[in-house]
Amino acid sequence: MFPEGIAFNIFIPSFRKILAKELTRRGLSQTDIARSLGITQAAVSKMLRGNRNLLIRELEDLNVPFSELEVVARKVADYISKGEINTAGMLANRYWLLILASGDACKAHEKYGWRKSECYICTKVVYPDIDVSKGLVMADIERALIVLSSSDYFSSLIPEVLTNLAVAIPGAKGLHDIIAIPGRISRDNKGGILYRKPEFGASRHLGGILLAIGGKYRAVMNIKYDKFVEEALVTLELKFKEFSSSEYPAANPVAAAAPVLLDECPECQVLVDSGADYIEPNVYIFGRRAVEVANLAVSLAEVYNIILKKYSVAVPQ
């Protein structure tokens, strides 16, 4: 009945191991790391000798990519290394609650003996005032935003028109079944991102795209497009279709183009709008969930910044 057992037995020990390695990279001593994580110096020493592949296996029952945990752990480690312990703790705890609320600890919970049978405990604990279907996507998009804000590189992919991220409940019929970021996601002056609390019906543009594709994907995000982003897409071997908004005259050209192009390329998870008069080129990343799209965007951002360095191009600020 109590999912906290998964935290104590799986998430916390594994997340601490990742944190210990990140804090070591920042120059903290084992004694300081032990004090920050609330464990002994001997435990830290043992963690640092741990094998990455073993750690990945320990986390198999959580439906969370290891790369995602590393991104969030780096942000938590940054706060700890700056002495911002409370901020680090709030981020780590909120992240864990969102893993629970988005349903990604269910497999582990069942393995520990809980019979799922339409269980929605975790979602309702975090979002008691909304129905479960909307609570699940709220947790999904909030977790995706933590991933994006934890990345050192994602902000470099934000276009002039800004970025948004949207995710639909299953069987969405209208814009109020789709959650997005009011006012979109922008860059701050320190290389991070700024955004408001997600709301249902907040994006007519991305919401219209999701409604137009009829559930093929339930999440979508727009990012900038240039030749270096294209090289990053190719490097990650992501299949994509390119089009121009001028080819689809409509109030929402991408919504008009997406069903056609995704039908032509069923395996494509990315569409590239090369733009038109007064329309900035953009990349549209699709996925089953917001956190899936966010993880892909972070991977693209990391490769994009490596490519910029290769060509000695300044990273966008």
Side-chain angles (χ1 to χ4, degrees):
M1 181 180 295
F2 296 103
E4 289 85 353
I6 306 158
F8 296 138
N9 290 294
I10 300 177
F11 178 75
I12 293 174
S14 300
F15 199 69
R16 275 176 172 163
K17 290 174 185 177
I18 303 171
L19 271 176
K21 292 181 183 295
E22 289 295 332
L23 291 168
T24 298
R25 292 191 185 101
R26 287 157 178 75
L28 272 71
S29 69
Q30 290 188 12
T31 301
D32 288 337
I33 294 171
R35 188 180 299 113
S36 298
L37 300 184
I39 54 179
T40 65
Q41 184 272 327
V44 173
S45 179
K46 183 178 180 180
M47 286 177 178
L48 295 176
R49 295 195 301 271
N51 180 276
R52 176 187 171 90
N53 291 331
L54 177 60
L55 182 54
I56 291 172
R57 286 198 297 273
E58 289 173 355
L59 286 160
E60 283 178 351
D61 289 328
L62 287 182
N63 188 31
V64 182
F66 189 76
S67 59
E68 177 187 321
L69 290 165
E70 287 186 310
V71 168
V72 177
R74 283 197 290 270
K75 189 66 173 181
V76 174
D78 285 342
Y79 285 131
I80 292 173
S81 64
K82 295 173 185 175
E84 299 176 26
I85 302 298
N86 286 326
T87 304
M90 287 189 291
L91 174 58
N93 277 276
R94 185 64 181 175
Y95 177 59
W96 168 243
L97 286 175
L98 293 173
I99 290 174
L100 288 174
S102 55
D104 285 326
C106 292
K107 179 182 176 182
H109 201 185
E110 290 181 69
K111 188 173 181 180
Y112 272 73
W114 178 245
R115 186 176 174 182
K116 185 179 177 184
S117 183
E118 301 302 319
C119 173
Y120 53 80
I121 295 169
C122 298
T123 306
K124 291 300 284 186
V125 165
V126 179
Y127 302 107
D129 299 323
I130 58 178
D131 64 53
V132 174
S133 61
K134 289 193 171 182
L136 285 166
V137 297
M138 177 71 85
D140 181 28
I141 198 168
E142 282 201 41
R143 181 170 140 205
L145 288 167
I146 284 180
V147 173
L148 295 175
S149 61
S150 295
S151 169
D152 291 331
Y153 306 109
F154 172 71
S155 65
S156 63
L157 291 183
I158 296 176
E160 293 298 321
V161 294
L162 306 184
T163 286
N164 211 333
L165 171 62
V167 58
I169 66 170
K173 301 297 183 185
L175 291 177
H176 286 281
D177 294 327
I178 299 172
I179 193 167
I181 317 303
R184 305 188 180 186
I185 302 168
S186 61
R187 281 190 293 269
D188 65 18
N189 57 10
K190 296 180 181 178
I193 63 173
L194 299 170
Y195 55 86
R196 291 161 56 192
K197 183 178 178 179
E199 294 179 4
F200 287 92
S203 176
R204 186 174 298 274
H205 177 54
L206 294 190
I209 296 169
L210 291 177
L211 291 172
I213 63 176
K216 178 176 175 60
Y217 293 111
R218 287 181 38 232
V220 63
M221 170 193 283
N222 71 296
I223 60 172
K224 70 186 287 183
Y225 177 64
D226 59 26
K227 63 181 181 180
F228 305 117
V229 172
E230 182 174 355
E231 186 170 337
L233 291 169
V234 173
T235 300
L236 289 176
E237 299 182 341
L238 293 171
K239 288 196 172 184
F240 60 91
K241 293 279 286 186
E242 187 170 343
F243 70 100
S244 168
S245 285
S246 62
E247 300 168 350
Y248 295 87
N252 188 341
V254 186
V260 177
L261 299 175
L262 292 176
D263 185 58
E264 291 175 359
C265 181
E267 68 274 27
C268 284
Q269 197 172 348
V270 176
L271 297 179
V272 174
D273 180 3
S274 60
D277 291 341
Y278 309 109
I279 297 179
E280 181 185 4
N282 266 230
V283 171
Y284 293 84
I285 305 171
F286 294 85
R288 295 164 297 172
R289 299 174 55 190
V291 75
E292 175 191 350
V293 171
N295 284 320
L296 184 50
V298 167
S299 296
L300 273 169
E302 291 172 353
V303 174
Y304 177 72
N305 278 265
I306 291 170
I307 291 169
L308 291 183
K309 289 177 183 176
K310 180 176 75 172
Y311 293 113
S312 300
V313 176
V315 177
Q317 297 296 323

